[in-house]
Amino acid sequence: MRKASIVILGSLMVVAAIWYFTASQDKTADVSDEIILAEAEPKEIYGYNEEDFYIEQSVIGKNEFLGSILDRAGISYDVISTLAQNAKDAFDVRYLREGKPYAIIWSNETQQALEFIYQSNPFRYVSYQLQEPYKVEVKEHNIETCVETFSGTIESSLWNSMKDVGAIMELISKMEDALEWSIDFQHVLAGDEYKLVYERQYINGEAVGIGKLIGAYFKNYDTEFYSIYYENEKYQGFYDETGRPMKKAFLKYPVRFSRISSYYNPRRFHPILKRTRPHYGTDYAAPYGTPIRAVADGVLQKVGFTKGNGNYIKIKHDKVYQSQYLHMSRFAKGMKSGVHVKQGQTIGYVGATGLATGPHVCFRFWKNGKQVNHLKQNLPPPDPLPESQLEDYLKTRDIVKGELDQIPIFKLEASATVSDTSEVVDNLEAFLLE
Ligand SMILES: [Zn+2]
């Protein structure tokens, strides 16, 4: 996963341009320095230089406790119990989890263990001083941010295209954030192209996460979309080339990482009832437990259960539109009638309650009290940025668009085409249910 095909922006000109862009977002860090640091800095782990200290690194084993590890390192029981006491406010020592990395720092000079480090997550670690005053504290790693690019061509689906080049889920998800109002990712075509400029976070030269997505480009058949991230005191989000928000009143679909398994069809043959029965919704098939999102801001009208619908939620968005989500395995926390929800907010999870052959969401959309096909609705576009902000935005746009246009398209070898998606779904589940 980590070996993504990434073109690190190399030329000084590019670095300068990106620096200009990030500086305008009130970042004091000099990105050009950081890019060099991330590649060339000598190896330091947890702030200790490998030349002066012996850094013993391992992972927590089965049934292994802090006491047993420290005992092996020659720490007395008195000290261990002092540490456990001092750790109370910082970190509960009972929560050392099997498989998590830890380190013991040894002094080359005195051969004594100086510090025990437990890596609770990639960004934070717990430090136990093994010498007086036996302080225990949670520390954060220094994160270096680099600007990187990524590109690809769709062979069969977005998932396959990104999986084959080793893209990380986080990046795919951010691309959806930037473009989901314009592009129906369930209907991308072979030959469609995309390019991304984004921040990647490094700790000690190791990639640990994706930062902000700075810009995205998508060519869907012959239509090109640019989505540029912009923020100032009043506005924040993705904008198109003319300064209109990418964000529309309604999301195109309620479940990410899904596929349409049945369309809105007033004359459908029902697979369970074995007779013609209108299908006034669009079915999105997705793994059990995948989050279901409110497609727009609104107020919950109904949170309930019927034999046909299973667990379902109905949302009133405004005087004209309502949406409904059926067959949920369960509701998200706090969902009850009268509650306000935001666009994109998780309201429940995919299931197969009610009349359903497999896990999916039956998504229904009402206009003026009548069920309609949401895929056929022409909803009004949002207003562009006001004139006063536009000039500033266009400067950012020109820089980011210039970057996107320079990225070469990464094309897959013909032999790398993969049609099996089961592995992708497994990854997705792991990712979504984490
Ligand atoms: Zn349905």
Side-chain angles (χ1 to χ4, degrees):
M1 276 300 200
R2 195 171 288 139
K3 285 186 190 133
S5 290
I6 282 161
V7 185
I8 295 195
L9 300 179
S11 81
L12 277 179
M13 230 180 72
V14 167
V15 169
I18 293 294
W19 177 79
Y20 171 84
F21 169 70
T22 44
S24 71
Q25 293 184 13
D26 194 28
K27 266 200 187 156
T28 46
D30 183 337
V31 173
S32 61
D33 265 352
E34 285 171 357
I35 287 176
I36 295 156
L37 280 179
E39 287 173 350
E41 193 166 271
K43 204 156 181 203
E44 241 189 33
I45 301 172
Y46 305 109
Y48 290 93
N49 191 313
E50 274 191 318
E51 283 170 19
D52 300 328
F53 300 92
Y54 171 59
I55 302 160
E56 180 190 336
Q57 287 181 283
S58 188
V59 292
I60 306 288
K62 212 179 162 131
N63 297 325
E64 201 164 34
F65 297 99
L66 182 67
S68 52
I69 297 169
L70 293 184
D71 184 42
R72 267 205 318 273
I75 306 299
S76 74
Y77 278 112
D78 282 353
V79 172
I80 293 169
S81 84
T82 306
L83 285 167
Q85 193 62 34
N86 293 354
K88 267 193 176 155
D89 295 332
F91 186 81
D92 190 332
V93 288
R94 286 172 304 177
Y95 291 130
L96 296 194
R97 271 178 47 199
E98 187 186 338
K100 291 271 185 190
Y102 73 85
I104 298 173
I105 315 295
W106 298 82
S107 158
N108 278 346
E109 223 178 285
T110 64
Q111 309 280 310
Q112 274 183 318
L114 302 177
E115 190 174 340
F116 170 78
I117 285 158
Y118 174 67
Q119 185 76 58
S120 47
N121 71 46
F123 299 97
R124 246 161 290 152
Y125 60 90
V126 192
S127 147
Y128 297 77
Q129 282 182 11
L130 303 179
Q131 305 295 327
E132 274 182 300
Y134 308 115
K135 227 160 110 183
V136 179
E137 52 191 335
V138 176
K139 291 183 175 177
E140 303 215 337
H141 286 290
N142 286 327
I143 296 173
E144 292 140 14
T145 302
C146 297
V147 174
E148 298 181 349
T149 68
F150 191 92
S151 69
T153 308
I154 308 286
E155 295 270 315
S156 52
S157 75
L158 179 67
W159 294 114
N160 283 342
S161 95
M162 294 189 105
K163 184 190 71 163
D164 291 346
V165 292
I168 40 184
M169 291 301 173
E170 219 179 330
L171 189 56
I172 304 177
S173 176
K174 296 228 162 154
M175 173 152 113
E176 291 212 46
D177 286 343
L179 290 159
E180 67 180 325
W181 296 277
S182 308
I183 292 163
D184 181 349
F185 281 101
Q186 276 117 11
H187 290 97
V188 292
L189 303 163
D192 282 1
E193 296 172 348
Y194 56 88
K195 305 175 185 184
L196 305 168
V197 180
Y198 60 97
E199 294 175 346
R200 195 154 206 208
Q201 296 162 329
Y202 287 86
I203 291 174
N204 297 322
E206 284 227 13
V208 290
I210 303 292
K212 212 175 277 160
L213 179 65
I214 295 167
Y217 162 91
F218 202 98
K219 194 172 124 204
N220 186 218
Y221 189 51
D222 55 2
T223 312
E224 295 183 303
F225 297 91
Y226 285 89
S227 181
I228 312 288
Y229 185 79
Y230 176 72
E231 69 178 353
N232 63 22
E233 303 75 37
K234 279 173 83 176
Y235 297 88
Q236 183 215 8
F238 290 97
Y239 293 85
D240 74 3
E241 282 183 278
T242 66
R244 265 184 210 281
M246 297 298 285
K247 185 180 156 102
K248 309 235 172 12
F250 293 88
L251 294 173
K252 283 203 180 259
Y253 41 91
V255 188
R256 273 184 174 171
F257 320 123
S258 62
R259 66 183 171 80
I260 293 179
S261 54
S262 174
Y263 284 90
Y264 179 94
N265 178 0
R267 287 178 301 277
R268 183 181 67 152
F269 183 77
H270 196 281
I272 291 180
L273 300 176
K274 306 271 185 228
R275 59 181 161 87
T276 305
R277 197 180 133 145
H279 186 225
Y280 291 121
T282 306
D283 288 348
Y284 291 89
Y288 273 100
T290 306
I292 300 167
R293 315 174 299 167
V295 294
D297 293 358
V299 178
L300 300 187
Q301 234 178 344
K302 258 178 209 157
V303 178
F305 178 90
T306 65
K307 252 165 75 185
N309 293 353
N311 293 320
Y312 75 101
I313 282 181
K314 190 170 183 182
I315 303 174
K316 183 178 162 75
H317 299 294
D318 52 30
K319 283 192 187 121
V320 180
Y321 298 106
Q322 291 156 294
S323 64
Q324 195 184 28
Y325 314 73
L326 314 185
H327 313 307
M328 293 180 176
S329 57
R330 63 189 170 91
F331 303 116
K333 239 190 194 157
M335 294 295 123
K336 55 173 196 242
S337 353
V339 165
H340 285 256
V341 290
K342 285 287 194 198
Q343 182 180 60
Q345 186 177 336
T346 299
I347 54 172
Y349 300 87
V350 171
T353 54
L355 270 185
T357 46
H360 76 281
V361 183
C362 183
F363 177 70
R364 296 174 173 221
F365 201 68
W366 273 264
K367 185 180 183 181
N368 295 321
K370 267 187 72 181
Q371 298 209 55
V372 294
N373 184 351
H374 81 107
L375 296 170
K376 297 266 163 71
Q377 297 303 303
N378 263 329
L379 300 157
D383 293 334
L385 282 166
E387 207 61 43
S388 59
Q389 316 280 329
L390 201 56
E391 200 184 323
D392 189 49
Y393 167 72
L394 293 177
K395 278 187 208 156
T396 302
R397 179 205 67 184
D398 289 346
I399 293 163
V400 177
K401 188 167 179 284
E403 283 312 317
L404 288 166
D405 290 342
Q406 278 186 42
I407 301 170
I409 289 289
F410 180 81
K411 288 210 192 287
L412 293 171
E413 304 283 342
S415 62
T417 309
V418 176
S419 55
D420 176 26
T421 58
S422 58
E423 191 191 329
V424 186
V425 172
D426 286 350
N427 289 341
L428 283 172
E429 268 189 305
F431 167 71
L432 289 165
L433 304 177
E434 197 169 72

